[in-house]
PDB file of all heavy atoms in Angstrom:
ATOM      1  N   ALA A  18      -4.776  -1.097  15.108  1.00 98.00           N
ATOM      2  CA  ALA A  18      -4.738  -1.825  13.893  1.00 98.00           C
ATOM      3  C   ALA A  18      -6.242  -2.215  13.650  1.00 98.00           C
ATOM      4  O   ALA A  18      -6.988  -2.608  14.543  1.00 98.00           O
ATOM      5  CB  ALA A  18      -3.967  -3.089  13.864  1.00 98.00           C
ATOM      6  N   CYS A  19      -6.601  -2.297  12.358  1.00 98.00           N
ATOM      7  CA  CYS A  19      -7.975  -2.508  12.068  1.00 98.00           C
ATOM      8  C   CYS A  19      -8.195  -4.115  12.046  1.00 98.00           C
ATOM      9  O   CYS A  19      -9.247  -4.620  12.282  1.00 98.00           O
ATOM     10  CB  CYS A  19      -8.380  -2.013  10.634  1.00 98.00           C
ATOM     11  SG  CYS A  19      -8.414  -0.239  10.593  1.00 98.00           S
ATOM     12  N   LEU A  20      -7.086  -4.835  11.639  1.00 98.00           N
ATOM     13  CA  LEU A  20      -7.138  -6.259  11.616  1.00 98.00           C
ATOM     14  C   LEU A  20      -6.026  -6.856  12.505  1.00 98.00           C
ATOM     15  O   LEU A  20      -4.875  -6.464  12.319  1.00 98.00           O
ATOM     16  CB  LEU A  20      -7.006  -6.678  10.165  1.00 98.00           C
ATOM     17  CG  LEU A  20      -7.118  -8.216   9.825  1.00 98.00           C
ATOM     18  CD1 LEU A  20      -8.543  -8.653  10.100  1.00 98.00           C
ATOM     19  CD2 LEU A  20      -6.643  -8.496   8.427  1.00 98.00           C
ATOM     20  N   SER A  21      -6.375  -7.813  13.274  1.00 96.00           N
ATOM     21  CA  SER A  21      -5.393  -8.530  14.144  1.00 96.00           C
ATOM     22  C   SER A  21      -4.578  -9.519  13.417  1.00 96.00           C
ATOM     23  O   SER A  21      -3.455  -9.960  13.719  1.00 96.00           O
ATOM     24  CB  SER A  21      -6.049  -9.026  15.422  1.00 96.00           C
ATOM     25  OG  SER A  21      -7.020  -9.953  15.041  1.00 96.00           O
ATOM     26  N   GLY A  22      -5.253 -10.045  12.333  1.00 96.00           N
ATOM     27  CA  GLY A  22      -4.614 -11.099  11.567  1.00 96.00           C
ATOM     28  C   GLY A  22      -3.942 -10.573  10.330  1.00 96.00           C
ATOM     29  O   GLY A  22      -3.449  -9.495  10.240  1.00 96.00           O
ATOM     30  N   ARG A  23      -4.057 -11.400   9.304  1.00 98.00           N
ATOM     31  CA  ARG A  23      -3.446 -11.120   7.961  1.00 98.00           C
ATOM     32  C   ARG A  23      -4.507 -11.308   6.891  1.00 98.00           C
ATOM     33  O   ARG A  23      -5.299 -12.250   6.927  1.00 98.00           O
ATOM     34  CB  ARG A  23      -2.220 -12.000   7.569  1.00 98.00           C
ATOM     35  CG  ARG A  23      -1.132 -11.865   8.684  1.00 98.00           C
ATOM     36  CD  ARG A  23      -0.159 -12.976   8.595  1.00 98.00           C
ATOM     37  NE  ARG A  23       0.679 -12.971   9.769  1.00 98.00           N
ATOM     38  CZ  ARG A  23       0.930 -14.021  10.674  1.00 98.00           C
ATOM     39  NH1 ARG A  23       0.316 -15.184  10.330  1.00 98.00           N
ATOM     40  NH2 ARG A  23       1.608 -13.868  11.696  1.00 98.00           N
ATOM     41  N   ARG A  24      -4.681 -10.309   6.022  1.00 98.00           N
ATOM     42  CA  ARG A  24      -5.781 -10.283   5.133  1.00 98.00           C
ATOM     43  C   ARG A  24      -5.928 -11.561   4.386  1.00 98.00           C
ATOM     44  O   ARG A  24      -7.073 -12.044   4.110  1.00 98.00           O
ATOM     45  CB  ARG A  24      -5.491  -9.073   4.148  1.00 98.00           C
ATOM     46  CG  ARG A  24      -6.403  -8.845   2.892  1.00 98.00           C
ATOM     47  CD  ARG A  24      -6.042  -7.701   2.277  1.00 98.00           C
ATOM     48  NE  ARG A  24      -6.789  -7.415   1.097  1.00 98.00           N
ATOM     49  CZ  ARG A  24      -6.761  -6.277   0.371  1.00 98.00           C
ATOM     50  NH1 ARG A  24      -6.079  -5.277   0.783  1.00 98.00           N
ATOM     51  NH2 ARG A  24      -7.552  -6.140  -0.706  1.00 98.00           N
ATOM     52  N   TYR A  25      -4.900 -12.041   3.875  1.00 98.00           N
ATOM     53  CA  TYR A  25      -4.997 -13.205   2.828  1.00 98.00           C
ATOM     54  C   TYR A  25      -5.176 -14.490   3.683  1.00 98.00           C
ATOM     55  O   TYR A  25      -5.419 -15.542   2.980  1.00 98.00           O
ATOM     56  CB  TYR A  25      -3.592 -13.276   2.023  1.00 98.00           C
ATOM     57  CG  TYR A  25      -2.417 -13.160   2.924  1.00 98.00           C
ATOM     58  CD1 TYR A  25      -1.765 -14.156   3.561  1.00 98.00           C
ATOM     59  CD2 TYR A  25      -1.796 -11.862   3.104  1.00 98.00           C
ATOM     60  CE1 TYR A  25      -0.684 -14.059   4.296  1.00 98.00           C
ATOM     61  CE2 TYR A  25      -0.721 -11.653   3.824  1.00 98.00           C
ATOM     62  CZ  TYR A  25      -0.040 -12.735   4.525  1.00 98.00           C
ATOM     63  OH  TYR A  25       0.969 -12.605   5.280  1.00 98.00           O
ATOM     64  N   GLU A  26      -5.090 -14.511   4.923  1.00 98.00           N
ATOM     65  CA  GLU A  26      -5.422 -15.703   5.727  1.00 98.00           C
ATOM     66  C   GLU A  26      -6.805 -15.561   6.409  1.00 98.00           C
ATOM     67  O   GLU A  26      -7.411 -16.542   6.849  1.00 98.00           O
ATOM     68  CB  GLU A  26      -4.392 -15.853   6.913  1.00 98.00           C
ATOM     69  CG  GLU A  26      -2.934 -16.196   6.279  1.00 98.00           C
ATOM     70  CD  GLU A  26      -1.894 -16.203   7.403  1.00 98.00           C
ATOM     71  OE1 GLU A  26      -2.199 -15.765   8.553  1.00 98.00           O
ATOM     72  OE2 GLU A  26      -0.693 -16.591   7.183  1.00 98.00           O
ATOM     73  N   THR A  27      -7.256 -14.359   6.540  1.00 98.00           N
ATOM     74  CA  THR A  27      -8.537 -14.121   7.302  1.00 98.00           C
ATOM     75  C   THR A  27      -9.736 -14.172   6.426  1.00 98.00           C
ATOM     76  O   THR A  27     -10.880 -14.687   6.857  1.00 98.00           O
ATOM     77  CB  THR A  27      -8.475 -12.744   7.966  1.00 98.00           C
ATOM     78  OG1 THR A  27      -7.351 -12.613   8.781  1.00 98.00           O
ATOM     79  CG2 THR A  27      -9.694 -12.402   8.823  1.00 98.00           C
ATOM     80  N   PHE A  28      -9.741 -13.648   5.224  1.00 98.00           N
ATOM     81  CA  PHE A  28     -10.829 -13.522   4.356  1.00 98.00           C
ATOM     82  C   PHE A  28     -10.908 -14.495   3.119  1.00 98.00           C
ATOM     83  O   PHE A  28      -9.856 -14.536   2.427  1.00 98.00           O
ATOM     84  CB  PHE A  28     -11.054 -12.083   3.901  1.00 98.00           C
ATOM     85  CG  PHE A  28     -11.062 -11.120   4.948  1.00 98.00           C
ATOM     86  CD1 PHE A  28      -9.961 -10.275   5.206  1.00 98.00           C
ATOM     87  CD2 PHE A  28     -12.094 -10.990   5.892  1.00 98.00           C
ATOM     88  CE1 PHE A  28      -9.911  -9.396   6.321  1.00 98.00           C
ATOM     89  CE2 PHE A  28     -12.102 -10.048   6.983  1.00 98.00           C
ATOM     90  CZ  PHE A  28     -10.970  -9.284   7.149  1.00 98.00           C
ATOM     91  N   ASP A  29     -11.943 -15.150   2.943  1.00 97.00           N
ATOM     92  CA  ASP A  29     -12.095 -16.112   1.801  1.00 97.00           C
ATOM     93  C   ASP A  29     -12.721 -15.586   0.590  1.00 97.00           C
ATOM     94  O   ASP A  29     -12.764 -16.057  -0.577  1.00 97.00           O
ATOM     95  CB  ASP A  29     -12.803 -17.427   2.166  1.00 97.00           C
ATOM     96  CG  ASP A  29     -12.140 -18.174   3.328  1.00 97.00           C
ATOM     97  OD1 ASP A  29     -10.888 -18.211   3.266  1.00 97.00           O
ATOM     98  OD2 ASP A  29     -12.813 -18.773   4.224  1.00 97.00           O
ATOM     99  N   THR A  30     -13.482 -14.426   0.797  1.00 97.00           N
ATOM    100  CA  THR A  30     -14.386 -13.748  -0.245  1.00 97.00           C
ATOM    101  C   THR A  30     -14.058 -12.313  -0.264  1.00 97.00           C
ATOM    102  O   THR A  30     -13.766 -11.695   0.766  1.00 97.00           O
ATOM    103  CB  THR A  30     -15.767 -14.042  -0.241  1.00 97.00           C
ATOM    104  OG1 THR A  30     -16.222 -13.389   1.040  1.00 97.00           O
ATOM    105  CG2 THR A  30     -16.029 -15.542  -0.165  1.00 97.00           C
ATOM    106  N   MET A  31     -14.355 -11.667  -1.369  1.00 97.00           N
ATOM    107  CA  MET A  31     -14.276 -10.141  -1.402  1.00 97.00           C
ATOM    108  C   MET A  31     -15.397  -9.566  -0.562  1.00 97.00           C
ATOM    109  O   MET A  31     -15.138  -8.523   0.056  1.00 97.00           O
ATOM    110  CB  MET A  31     -14.240  -9.726  -2.839  1.00 97.00           C
ATOM    111  CG  MET A  31     -14.255  -8.223  -3.062  1.00 97.00           C
ATOM    112  SD  MET A  31     -12.819  -7.441  -2.407  1.00 97.00           S
ATOM    113  CE  MET A  31     -11.686  -7.763  -3.843  1.00 97.00           C
ATOM    114  N   SER A  32     -16.499 -10.204  -0.579  1.00 98.00           N
ATOM    115  CA  SER A  32     -17.649  -9.581   0.252  1.00 98.00           C
ATOM    116  C   SER A  32     -17.271  -9.575   1.668  1.00 98.00           C
ATOM    117  O   SER A  32     -17.634  -8.663   2.387  1.00 98.00           O
ATOM    118  CB  SER A  32     -18.889 -10.435   0.001  1.00 98.00           C
ATOM    119  OG  SER A  32     -18.762 -11.726   0.308  1.00 98.00           O
ATOM    120  N   ALA A  33     -16.554 -10.675   2.233  1.00 98.00           N
ATOM    121  CA  ALA A  33     -16.116 -10.651   3.592  1.00 98.00           C
ATOM    122  C   ALA A  33     -15.168  -9.513   3.824  1.00 98.00           C
ATOM    123  O   ALA A  33     -15.222  -8.909   4.867  1.00 98.00           O
ATOM    124  CB  ALA A  33     -15.545 -12.046   3.932  1.00 98.00           C
ATOM    125  N   PHE A  34     -14.245  -9.275   2.902  1.00 98.00           N
ATOM    126  CA  PHE A  34     -13.333  -8.294   3.115  1.00 98.00           C
ATOM    127  C   PHE A  34     -13.916  -6.903   3.126  1.00 98.00           C
ATOM    128  O   PHE A  34     -13.614  -5.952   3.885  1.00 98.00           O
ATOM    129  CB  PHE A  34     -12.176  -8.212   2.029  1.00 98.00           C
ATOM    130  CG  PHE A  34     -11.223  -7.162   2.103  1.00 98.00           C
ATOM    131  CD1 PHE A  34     -10.309  -7.114   3.092  1.00 98.00           C
ATOM    132  CD2 PHE A  34     -11.228  -6.132   1.221  1.00 98.00           C
ATOM    133  CE1 PHE A  34      -9.344  -6.150   3.208  1.00 98.00           C
ATOM    134  CE2 PHE A  34     -10.244  -5.113   1.288  1.00 98.00           C
ATOM    135  CZ  PHE A  34      -9.227  -5.061   2.369  1.00 98.00           C
ATOM    136  N   GLN A  35     -14.921  -6.648   2.163  1.00 98.00           N
ATOM    137  CA  GLN A  35     -15.634  -5.381   2.068  1.00 98.00           C
ATOM    138  C   GLN A  35     -16.510  -5.151   3.427  1.00 98.00           C
ATOM    139  O   GLN A  35     -16.532  -3.988   3.816  1.00 98.00           O
ATOM    140  CB  GLN A  35     -16.590  -5.379   0.880  1.00 98.00           C
ATOM    141  CG  GLN A  35     -15.846  -5.423  -0.487  1.00 98.00           C
ATOM    142  CD  GLN A  35     -14.888  -4.166  -0.652  1.00 98.00           C
ATOM    143  OE1 GLN A  35     -15.028  -3.047   0.074  1.00 98.00           O
ATOM    144  NE2 GLN A  35     -14.016  -4.137  -1.510  1.00 98.00           N
ATOM    145  N   ASP A  36     -17.050  -6.192   4.003  1.00 98.00           N
ATOM    146  CA  ASP A  36     -17.654  -6.019   5.302  1.00 98.00           C
ATOM    147  C   ASP A  36     -16.767  -5.621   6.289  1.00 98.00           C
ATOM    148  O   ASP A  36     -17.043  -4.705   7.111  1.00 98.00           O
ATOM    149  CB  ASP A  36     -18.390  -7.420   5.625  1.00 98.00           C
ATOM    150  CG  ASP A  36     -19.125  -7.234   6.933  1.00 98.00           C
ATOM    151  OD1 ASP A  36     -20.097  -6.412   6.942  1.00 98.00           O
ATOM    152  OD2 ASP A  36     -18.827  -8.063   7.891  1.00 98.00           O
ATOM    153  N   PHE A  37     -15.465  -6.253   6.366  1.00 98.00           N
ATOM    154  CA  PHE A  37     -14.515  -5.738   7.242  1.00 98.00           C
ATOM    155  C   PHE A  37     -14.228  -4.293   7.063  1.00 98.00           C
ATOM    156  O   PHE A  37     -13.927  -3.556   8.069  1.00 98.00           O
ATOM    157  CB  PHE A  37     -13.309  -6.722   7.119  1.00 98.00           C
ATOM    158  CG  PHE A  37     -12.013  -6.010   7.537  1.00 98.00           C
ATOM    159  CD1 PHE A  37     -11.713  -5.839   8.879  1.00 98.00           C
ATOM    160  CD2 PHE A  37     -11.109  -5.649   6.683  1.00 98.00           C
ATOM    161  CE1 PHE A  37     -10.479  -5.298   9.330  1.00 98.00           C
ATOM    162  CE2 PHE A  37      -9.828  -5.047   7.061  1.00 98.00           C
ATOM    163  CZ  PHE A  37      -9.574  -4.823   8.309  1.00 98.00           C
ATOM    164  N   ARG A  38     -13.986  -3.941   5.801  1.00 98.00           N
ATOM    165  CA  ARG A  38     -13.643  -2.582   5.492  1.00 98.00           C
ATOM    166  C   ARG A  38     -14.753  -1.605   6.081  1.00 98.00           C
ATOM    167  O   ARG A  38     -14.411  -0.521   6.749  1.00 98.00           O
ATOM    168  CB  ARG A  38     -13.561  -2.308   3.990  1.00 98.00           C
ATOM    169  CG  ARG A  38     -13.224  -0.815   3.653  1.00 98.00           C
ATOM    170  CD  ARG A  38     -13.207  -0.744   2.071  1.00 98.00           C
ATOM    171  NE  ARG A  38     -12.883   0.570   1.658  1.00 98.00           N
ATOM    172  CZ  ARG A  38     -13.734   1.589   1.643  1.00 98.00           C
ATOM    173  NH1 ARG A  38     -15.016   1.342   1.880  1.00 98.00           N
ATOM    174  NH2 ARG A  38     -13.443   2.775   1.162  1.00 98.00           N
ATOM    175  N   ALA A  39     -15.994  -1.890   5.910  1.00 98.00           N
ATOM    176  CA  ALA A  39     -17.123  -0.975   6.380  1.00 98.00           C
ATOM    177  C   ALA A  39     -17.081  -0.919   7.902  1.00 98.00           C
ATOM    178  O   ALA A  39     -17.357   0.075   8.523  1.00 98.00           O
ATOM    179  CB  ALA A  39     -18.495  -1.575   5.906  1.00 98.00           C
ATOM    180  N   LYS A  40     -16.833  -2.108   8.565  1.00 98.00           N
ATOM    181  CA  LYS A  40     -16.751  -2.129  10.079  1.00 98.00           C
ATOM    182  C   LYS A  40     -15.591  -1.297  10.565  1.00 98.00           C
ATOM    183  O   LYS A  40     -15.676  -0.614  11.579  1.00 98.00           O
ATOM    184  CB  LYS A  40     -16.758  -3.504  10.499  1.00 98.00           C
ATOM    185  CG  LYS A  40     -17.977  -4.247  10.349  1.00 98.00           C
ATOM    186  CD  LYS A  40     -17.981  -5.674  10.891  1.00 98.00           C
ATOM    187  CE  LYS A  40     -19.290  -6.399  10.660  1.00 98.00           C
ATOM    188  NZ  LYS A  40     -19.099  -7.905  11.023  1.00 98.00           N
ATOM    189  N   SER A  41     -14.474  -1.423   9.816  1.00 98.00           N
ATOM    190  CA  SER A  41     -13.223  -0.651  10.206  1.00 98.00           C
ATOM    191  C   SER A  41     -13.504   0.791  10.150  1.00 98.00           C
ATOM    192  O   SER A  41     -13.082   1.566  11.060  1.00 98.00           O
ATOM    193  CB  SER A  41     -12.073  -1.058   9.295  1.00 98.00           C
ATOM    194  OG  SER A  41     -11.737  -2.315   9.493  1.00 98.00           O
ATOM    195  N   ILE A  42     -14.130   1.275   9.181  1.00 98.00           N
ATOM    196  CA  ILE A  42     -14.345   2.657   8.900  1.00 98.00           C
ATOM    197  C   ILE A  42     -15.355   3.210  10.021  1.00 98.00           C
ATOM    198  O   ILE A  42     -15.146   4.222  10.588  1.00 98.00           O
ATOM    199  CB  ILE A  42     -14.985   3.002   7.560  1.00 98.00           C
ATOM    200  CG1 ILE A  42     -13.964   2.686   6.458  1.00 98.00           C
ATOM    201  CG2 ILE A  42     -15.521   4.370   7.539  1.00 98.00           C
ATOM    202  CD1 ILE A  42     -14.472   2.745   5.042  1.00 98.00           C
ATOM    203  N   ASN A  43     -16.291   2.380  10.360  1.00 98.00           N
ATOM    204  CA  ASN A  43     -17.208   2.750  11.499  1.00 98.00           C
ATOM    205  C   ASN A  43     -16.511   2.874  12.793  1.00 98.00           C
ATOM    206  O   ASN A  43     -16.794   3.736  13.558  1.00 98.00           O
ATOM    207  CB  ASN A  43     -18.311   1.732  11.603  1.00 98.00           C
ATOM    208  CG  ASN A  43     -19.406   2.090  12.596  1.00 98.00           C
ATOM    209  OD1 ASN A  43     -20.064   3.170  12.507  1.00 98.00           O
ATOM    210  ND2 ASN A  43     -19.506   1.181  13.613  1.00 98.00           N
ATOM    211  N   SER A  44     -15.641   1.864  12.999  1.00 98.00           N
ATOM    212  CA  SER A  44     -14.874   1.855  14.257  1.00 98.00           C
ATOM    213  C   SER A  44     -13.967   3.188  14.366  1.00 98.00           C
ATOM    214  O   SER A  44     -13.891   3.865  15.419  1.00 98.00           O
ATOM    215  CB  SER A  44     -13.954   0.634  14.367  1.00 98.00           C
ATOM    216  OG  SER A  44     -14.651  -0.510  14.568  1.00 98.00           O
ATOM    217  N   LEU A  45     -13.309   3.578  13.235  1.00 98.00           N
ATOM    218  CA  LEU A  45     -12.556   4.781  13.262  1.00 98.00           C
ATOM    219  C   LEU A  45     -13.395   6.027  13.436  1.00 98.00           C
ATOM    220  O   LEU A  45     -12.965   6.943  14.134  1.00 98.00           O
ATOM    221  CB  LEU A  45     -11.725   4.805  11.974  1.00 98.00           C
ATOM    222  CG  LEU A  45     -10.534   3.831  11.813  1.00 98.00           C
ATOM    223  CD1 LEU A  45     -10.094   3.869  10.431  1.00 98.00           C
ATOM    224  CD2 LEU A  45      -9.487   4.145  12.923  1.00 98.00           C
ATOM    225  N   LYS A  46     -14.558   5.965  12.895  1.00 98.00           N
ATOM    226  CA  LYS A  46     -15.477   7.094  13.074  1.00 98.00           C
ATOM    227  C   LYS A  46     -15.992   7.260  14.486  1.00 98.00           C
ATOM    228  O   LYS A  46     -16.225   8.392  15.052  1.00 98.00           O
ATOM    229  CB  LYS A  46     -16.716   6.967  12.169  1.00 98.00           C
ATOM    230  CG  LYS A  46     -16.354   7.340  10.644  1.00 98.00           C
ATOM    231  CD  LYS A  46     -17.506   7.233   9.777  1.00 98.00           C
ATOM    232  CE  LYS A  46     -17.146   7.608   8.351  1.00 98.00           C
ATOM    233  NZ  LYS A  46     -18.396   7.535   7.452  1.00 98.00           N
ATOM    234  N   LEU A  47     -16.167   6.037  15.192  1.00 98.00           N
ATOM    235  CA  LEU A  47     -16.446   6.113  16.542  1.00 98.00           C
ATOM    236  C   LEU A  47     -15.386   6.557  17.376  1.00 98.00           C
ATOM    237  O   LEU A  47     -15.556   7.232  18.439  1.00 98.00           O
ATOM    238  CB  LEU A  47     -16.940   4.641  17.024  1.00 98.00           C
ATOM    239  CG  LEU A  47     -18.251   4.111  16.530  1.00 98.00           C
ATOM    240  CD1 LEU A  47     -18.400   2.650  16.871  1.00 98.00           C
ATOM    241  CD2 LEU A  47     -19.440   4.942  17.123  1.00 98.00           C
ATOM    242  N   ALA A  48     -14.122   6.169  17.096  1.00 98.00           N
ATOM    243  CA  ALA A  48     -12.967   6.537  17.838  1.00 98.00           C
ATOM    244  C   ALA A  48     -12.548   7.863  17.830  1.00 98.00           C
ATOM    245  O   ALA A  48     -12.025   8.514  18.761  1.00 98.00           O
ATOM    246  CB  ALA A  48     -11.816   5.539  17.479  1.00 98.00           C
ATOM    247  N   GLU A  49     -12.681   8.500  16.655  1.00 98.00           N
ATOM    248  CA  GLU A  49     -12.193   9.903  16.363  1.00 98.00           C
ATOM    249  C   GLU A  49     -12.588  10.908  17.340  1.00 98.00           C
ATOM    250  O   GLU A  49     -11.788  11.615  17.950  1.00 98.00           O
ATOM    251  CB  GLU A  49     -12.477  10.297  14.919  1.00 98.00           C
ATOM    252  CG  GLU A  49     -11.660  11.424  14.454  1.00 98.00           C
ATOM    253  CD  GLU A  49     -12.250  12.797  14.852  1.00 98.00           C
ATOM    254  OE1 GLU A  49     -13.366  12.905  15.250  1.00 98.00           O
ATOM    255  OE2 GLU A  49     -11.354  13.808  14.916  1.00 98.00           O
ATOM    256  N   PRO A  50     -13.894  11.030  17.733  1.00 98.00           N
ATOM    257  CA  PRO A  50     -14.300  12.083  18.611  1.00 98.00           C
ATOM    258  C   PRO A  50     -13.726  11.842  19.993  1.00 98.00           C
ATOM    259  O   PRO A  50     -13.474  12.752  20.698  1.00 98.00           O
ATOM    260  CB  PRO A  50     -15.910  11.862  18.698  1.00 98.00           C
ATOM    261  CG  PRO A  50     -16.121  11.261  17.392  1.00 98.00           C
ATOM    262  CD  PRO A  50     -15.107  10.310  17.126  1.00 98.00           C
ATOM    263  N   VAL A  51     -13.452  10.535  20.365  1.00 98.00           N
ATOM    264  CA  VAL A  51     -12.858  10.237  21.729  1.00 98.00           C
ATOM    265  C   VAL A  51     -11.426  10.770  21.832  1.00 98.00           C
ATOM    266  O   VAL A  51     -11.073  11.519  22.699  1.00 98.00           O
ATOM    267  CB  VAL A  51     -13.004   8.792  22.023  1.00 98.00           C
ATOM    268  CG1 VAL A  51     -12.292   8.483  23.336  1.00 98.00           C
ATOM    269  CG2 VAL A  51     -14.354   8.263  22.010  1.00 98.00           C
ATOM    270  N   VAL A  52     -10.722  10.440  20.812  1.00 98.00           N
ATOM    271  CA  VAL A  52      -9.269  10.796  20.894  1.00 98.00           C
ATOM    272  C   VAL A  52      -9.050  12.376  20.638  1.00 98.00           C
ATOM    273  O   VAL A  52      -8.169  12.868  21.214  1.00 98.00           O
ATOM    274  CB  VAL A  52      -8.345  10.087  19.846  1.00 98.00           C
ATOM    275  CG1 VAL A  52      -8.353   8.552  20.164  1.00 98.00           C
ATOM    276  CG2 VAL A  52      -8.838  10.280  18.380  1.00 98.00           C
TER     277      VAL A  52
END
């Protein structure tokens, strides 16, 4: 899972959520060659 919690409880601003989105995409790009 990209997020261990819940979106509406974790993020107070759209910019914080967009930062999470960018980090999630990077994590998946790192994971894909391994799997």
Side-chain angles (χ1 to χ4, degrees):
C19 295
L20 184 66
S21 59
R23 303 165 193 124
R24 171 176 177 167
Y25 45 88
E26 295 174 348
T27 305
F28 306 107
D29 296 326
T30 65
M31 179 61 81
S32 61
F34 178 72
Q35 292 297 342
D36 182 59
F37 157 73
R38 178 183 180 277
K40 289 179 179 178
S41 297
I42 292 170
N43 183 62
S44 290
L45 289 169
K46 287 182 176 179
L47 288 172
E49 194 278 337
V51 176
V52 296

